[in-house]
């Protein structure tokens, strides 16, 4: 057999996939640049870039580098993390409802961050906040996988999510309840709603290495997740170690989601919407979906953050509120569609 | 590859699923694994595939244990077709069959020419090439089973272990699938197939292994599958006949507790 015998469907598909990746990357790039241009203060962005590159400490340069750039970069990285983690968890549990927010990983990460904040650790150790969030996320991911097993039904995933979310929410409320002053409690509540406002470049550098490590762990799980679509025995017969895959996914998702929550608060539904929209474009292959879903998440979050600034609503809507407004109907739709097999 | 199974026992939660089974599997033969529900057929097949660990005994592949070979290398030499036929996502047939090439892929490398050729060959053999662009959810149960068989064939392993590959398949394709498995064995591969259909098993296999209650009742040629053994294994009487010079056997009536 020769190369000519390769199915034309396969070839057309490879081309289509390349276009999908290029197209999504372009959308992310445009949204990233767009994010630099959108803001309350009138800013001559070209002037600001020129100043920043010269190293001149002009006002436009400071606004760009200290305010707009961190916000745009974090939008991109956090979105990628959430989209990727959602796709990976869905591939592992073989259920389209598994999403960091829905199953409580984000909530537990937020709890971890709140504990780090309240215990005063975050003022003593600079990395306490991301570590707290990652620890919370690992705890929730372990709990989730232990509760639902692999290849769990929809109802089990939802119930486990309800349980973990309620637990995390209860403990977070406890922390707020015990808060010494109202102002810091309010601050936490706002932070929990998820936002990218007033983030700084050091926060970007703090979170990025953790996210990057998480991305690598999750992206390299692609072949195992593909194999897992035929069930666990078949995946094992194809040479994949399920125990190792579980550890990889728990640690990978916890690093990506935990680091994201540590800098942006709990932003839900990105990991639900991005894989759901993009799955048909990759022939429903869980491995192929990973990177594409990350790009989709980045685009989604950047656009939502731009929308937050452009919408004529003040005070500005929190990012987590916007993604929930968009994402919750998706969840309803999915639950409706999946209820028969629950 | 020659597989040596020595006194293999499997106990799960105190229950003995498999009791001291000895078996030698050689290239070029198609072995039918038969027996009633709960006899331990699937457990034995999984054990041979290296998927369930033995409580006792040993399995050697060309004299080497699975742990020493490593899961990744064993996966290239041994293909396993699961019984449940689980498919989680509406994958396209071509993609699904391509999953059989995963053991041969180097990480981050795409499909090689060899992979594509193997997938094409497997789809042709299992007669599913015409469905290549369809999603598995649009296929009937029998068609889906053949797609999964093509996936297992795409591994191009020396050993093919198939757990009830014709369970949901129509008579025409049962015959075709069994004929295909026989041809695979004739190419010098070792095929072990779990079957419930005694007629198919006796007709297409070179060798039959009868399990009942976790023990091996018979390991011999189809001629050795006597009425007594069938009665002991299944509790049924049999009907025998001959068509075009070929003997056939059918389970006929349950044997009551009094005459069993």
């Amino acid at each position: 057999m020769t190369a000519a015998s390769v199915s034309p469907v396969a070839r057309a598909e490879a081309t289509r996939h390349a276009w999908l990746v290029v197209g999504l990357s372009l959308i992310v790039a445009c949204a990233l640049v767009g994010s630099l241009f959108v803001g309350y203060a009138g800013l001559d962005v070209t002037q600001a870039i020129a100043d920043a590159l010269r190293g001149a400490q002009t006002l436009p340069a400071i606004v760009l580098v200290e305010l707009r750039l961190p916000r745009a970069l974090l939008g991109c990285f956090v979105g990628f993390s959430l989209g990727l983690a959602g796709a990976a968890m869905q591939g592992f549990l073989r259920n389209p409802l598994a999403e960091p927010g829905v199953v409580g990983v984000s909530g537990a990460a937020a709890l971890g961050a709140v504990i780090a904040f309240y215990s005063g650790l975050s003022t003593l150790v600079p990395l306490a906040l991301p570590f707290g969030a990652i620890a919370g996320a690992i705890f929730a991911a372990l709990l989730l996988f232990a509760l639902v097993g692999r290849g769990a039904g929809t109802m089990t995933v939802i119930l486990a999510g309800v349980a973990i979310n309620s637990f995390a929410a209860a403990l977070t409320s406890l922390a707020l309840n015990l808060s010494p002053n109202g102002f810091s409690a309010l601050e936490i509540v706002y932070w929990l709603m998820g936002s990218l406002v007033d983030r700084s470049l050091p926060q970007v550098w703090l979170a990025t290495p953790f996210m990057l490590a998480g991305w690598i762990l999750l992206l390299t799980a692609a072949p195992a997740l593909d194999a897992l679509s035929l069930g666990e025995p078949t995946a094992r017969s194809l040479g994949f170690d399920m125990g190792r895959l579980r550890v990889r996914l728990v640690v990978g998702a916890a690093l990506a989601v935990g680091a994201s929550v540590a800098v942006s608060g709990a932003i839900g539904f990105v990991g639900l919407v991005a894989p759901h929209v993009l799955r048909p474009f990759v022939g429903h292959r869980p491995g192929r979906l990973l990177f594409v879903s990350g790009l989709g998440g980045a685009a989604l979050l950047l656009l939502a953050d731009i929308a937050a600034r452009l919408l004529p609503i003040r005070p500005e809507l929190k990012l987590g509120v916007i993604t929930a407004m968009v994402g919750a109907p998706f969840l309803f739709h999915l639950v409706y569609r999946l209820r028969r097999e629950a | 590859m020659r597989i040596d199974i020595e006194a293999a026992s499997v106990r799960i939660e105190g229950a003995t699923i498999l009791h001291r089974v000895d078996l030698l599997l050689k290239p070029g033969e198609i072995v039918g694994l038969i027996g009633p529900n709960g006899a331990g057929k699937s457990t034995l097949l999984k054990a041979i595939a290296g998927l369930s660990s033995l409580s006792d005994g040993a399995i050697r592949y060309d004299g080497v244990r699975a742990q020493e070979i490593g899961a990744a290398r064993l996966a290239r030499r041994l293909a396993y077709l699961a019984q449940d036929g689980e498919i989680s996502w509406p994958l396209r047939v071509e993609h699904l069959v391509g999953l059989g090439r995963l053991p041969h892929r180097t990480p981050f490398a795409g499909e090689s020419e060899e992979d594509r050729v193997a997938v094409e060959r497997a789809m042709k053999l299992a007669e599913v090439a015409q469905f290549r662009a369809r999603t598995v959810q649009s296929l009937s149960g029998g068609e889906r089973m053949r797609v999964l068989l093509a996936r297992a064939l795409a591994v191009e392993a020396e050993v093919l272990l198939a757990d009830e590959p014709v369970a949901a398949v129509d008579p025409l394709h049962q015959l075709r699938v069994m004929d295909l498995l026989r041809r695979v064995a004739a190419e010098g591969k070792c095929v072990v197939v779990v079957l419930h259909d005694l007629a198919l098993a006796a007709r297409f296999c070179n060798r039959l292994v009868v399990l009942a209650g976790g023990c091996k009742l018979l390991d011999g040629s189809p001629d050795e599958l006597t009425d007594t053994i069938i009665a002991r294994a299944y509790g049924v009487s049999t009907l025998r006949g001959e068509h075009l010079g070929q003997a056939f056997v059918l389970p006929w009536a349950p044997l009551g507790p009094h005459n069993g």
Side-chain angles (χ1 to χ4, degrees):
Chain A
M1 248 176 265
T2 60
S5 69
V6 171
S7 138
V9 180
R11 211 172 318 129
E13 192 185 72
T15 320
R16 218 179 58 177
H17 185 71
W19 278 115
L20 180 68
V21 172
V22 169
L24 282 171
S25 306
L26 277 176
I27 295 175
V28 171
C30 290
L32 193 68
V33 173
S35 181
L36 295 177
F37 278 88
V38 180
Y40 304 115
L43 177 67
D44 182 350
V45 176
T46 39
Q47 179 63 46
I49 292 172
D51 287 352
L53 289 178
R54 275 194 292 118
Q57 293 287 317
T58 62
L59 186 64
I62 291 171
V63 170
L64 180 76
V65 175
E66 307 274 308
L67 295 175
R68 301 248 175 117
L69 189 62
R71 186 169 185 168
L73 286 177
L74 281 181
C76 182
F77 296 165
V78 169
F80 191 91
S81 296
L82 295 175
L84 171 61
M89 292 172 75
Q90 290 167 22
F92 185 66
L93 294 173
R94 284 162 279 159
N95 192 305
L97 285 177
E99 190 260 348
V102 173
V103 299
V105 173
S106 298
L111 170 67
V114 168
I115 289 173
F117 187 82
Y118 266 111
S119 62
L121 269 177
S122 59
T123 49
L124 296 175
V125 190
L127 286 174
L129 213 58
F131 277 154
I134 289 166
I138 285 188
F139 177 71
L142 283 174
L143 201 60
L144 172 74
F145 290 165
L147 278 175
V148 304
R150 287 163 281 209
T154 300
M155 200 54 101
T156 326
V157 171
I158 292 285
L159 288 178
V162 168
I164 297 171
N165 264 324
S166 325
F167 183 57
L171 289 183
T172 308
S173 302
L174 176 70
L176 291 174
N177 207 165
L178 296 177
S179 150
N181 67 70
F183 182 71
S184 64
L186 195 66
E187 199 180 26
I188 291 289
V189 170
Y190 274 135
W191 177 78
L192 283 175
M193 290 163 112
S195 171
L196 295 170
V197 180
D198 295 336
R199 300 303 189 263
S200 64
L201 272 182
Q203 276 175 305
V204 178
W205 307 140
L206 192 75
T208 307
F210 296 108
M211 291 192 205
L212 205 63
W215 297 351
I216 292 169
L217 284 173
L218 295 179
L219 287 170
T220 48
L225 293 180
D226 279 339
L228 199 54
S229 47
L230 295 182
E232 213 170 296
T234 305
R236 287 176 56 209
S237 82
L238 288 167
F240 296 99
D241 183 328
M242 291 298 113
R244 230 184 286 168
L245 178 64
R246 178 192 285 247
V247 171
R248 174 185 289 270
L249 281 170
V250 167
V251 176
L255 283 171
V257 176
S260 298
V261 170
V263 287
S264 68
I267 296 172
F269 297 102
V270 175
L272 188 77
V273 176
H276 179 73
V277 170
L278 293 166
R279 193 171 275 119
F281 294 99
V282 292
H284 295 262
R285 282 180 288 177
R288 271 279 170 97
L289 182 62
L290 293 176
F291 184 66
V292 168
S293 178
L295 289 178
L300 212 63
L301 204 61
L302 283 168
L303 291 175
D305 192 39
I306 290 174
R309 283 174 277 177
L310 290 181
L311 283 174
I313 302 171
R314 294 294 171 267
E316 181 185 308
L317 284 182
K318 296 289 182 190
L319 195 48
V321 175
I322 296 182
T323 60
M325 298 290 224
V326 178
F330 265 89
L331 185 59
F332 288 126
H333 165 69
L334 276 172
V335 170
Y336 180 77
R337 222 183 55 189
L338 292 167
R339 64 186 169 165
R340 268 157 299 158
E341 48 170 283
Chain B
M1 179 157 65
R2 196 183 133 106
I3 303 178
D4 227 325
I5 300 148
E6 269 174 52
S9 297
V10 174
R11 270 184 294 276
I12 299 173
E13 290 170 10
T16 302
I17 312 292
L18 213 58
H19 184 66
R20 300 185 64 80
V21 173
D22 293 302
L23 205 59
L24 180 65
L25 301 168
K26 289 172 301 216
E29 59 176 8
I30 168 167
V31 179
L33 205 53
I34 57 178
N37 291 330
K41 306 181 297 291
S42 293
T43 305
L44 177 59
L45 201 72
K46 274 190 182 158
I48 300 172
L51 298 178
S52 61
S53 46
L54 301 178
S55 345
D56 246 317
I59 298 181
R60 290 192 178 78
Y61 308 85
D62 281 339
V64 188
R65 283 172 189 252
Q67 300 93 301
E68 292 156 45
I69 300 176
R73 267 167 71 196
L74 197 61
R76 288 194 282 271
R77 305 185 60 185
L78 213 140
Y80 170 76
L81 176 59
Q83 181 187 3
D84 58 11
E86 180 179 342
I87 306 171
S88 298
W89 308 102
L91 298 174
R92 208 170 295 155
V93 167
E94 210 168 24
H95 294 156
L96 197 159
V97 176
L99 294 178
R101 299 306 296 170
L102 282 173
H104 299 274
R105 298 249 192 99
T106 37
F108 305 110
E111 265 189 343
S112 69
E113 190 53 37
E114 203 180 324
D115 292 332
R116 290 195 196 100
V117 171
V119 169
E120 287 300 320
R121 196 183 299 140
M123 286 198 297
K124 281 224 173 69
L125 281 173
E127 300 177 57
V128 294
Q130 70 272 29
F131 310 134
R132 66 168 76 237
R134 279 169 64 181
T135 63
V136 280
Q137 262 65 8
S138 73
L139 302 178
S140 71
E143 290 165 342
R144 232 183 272 187
M145 201 63 221
R146 274 151 57 208
V147 170
L148 289 170
L149 175 64
R151 195 289 302 162
L153 291 172
V155 181
E156 305 210 314
E158 302 155 58
V159 181
L160 174 62
L161 308 167
D163 202 344
E164 295 193 33
V166 294
V169 179
D170 62 45
L172 170 68
H173 286 98
Q174 284 191 348
L175 294 171
R176 290 220 172 137
V177 166
M178 287 311 294
D179 183 56
L180 164 63
L181 293 178
R182 187 159 61 180
R183 277 184 286 140
V184 170
E187 282 173 20
K189 293 181 177 175
C190 170
V191 178
V192 183
V193 51
V194 172
L195 290 168
H196 269 305
D197 189 320
L198 295 179
L200 285 178
R203 196 172 147 199
F204 285 94
C205 299
N206 314 122
R207 203 174 130 200
L208 293 177
V209 173
V210 183
L211 287 180
C215 299
K216 192 172 76 175
L217 279 190
L218 171 78
D219 178 2
S221 74
D223 300 334
E224 293 171 67
L225 184 68
T226 60
D227 291 356
T228 326
I229 286 176
I230 293 175
R232 267 181 66 196
Y234 294 95
V236 298
S237 66
T238 42
L239 172 75
R240 285 178 188 275
E242 209 186 89
H243 181 66
L244 301 174
Q246 200 172 9
F248 66 84
V249 56
L250 289 176
W252 195 249
L255 293 166
H258 308 295
N259 45 3

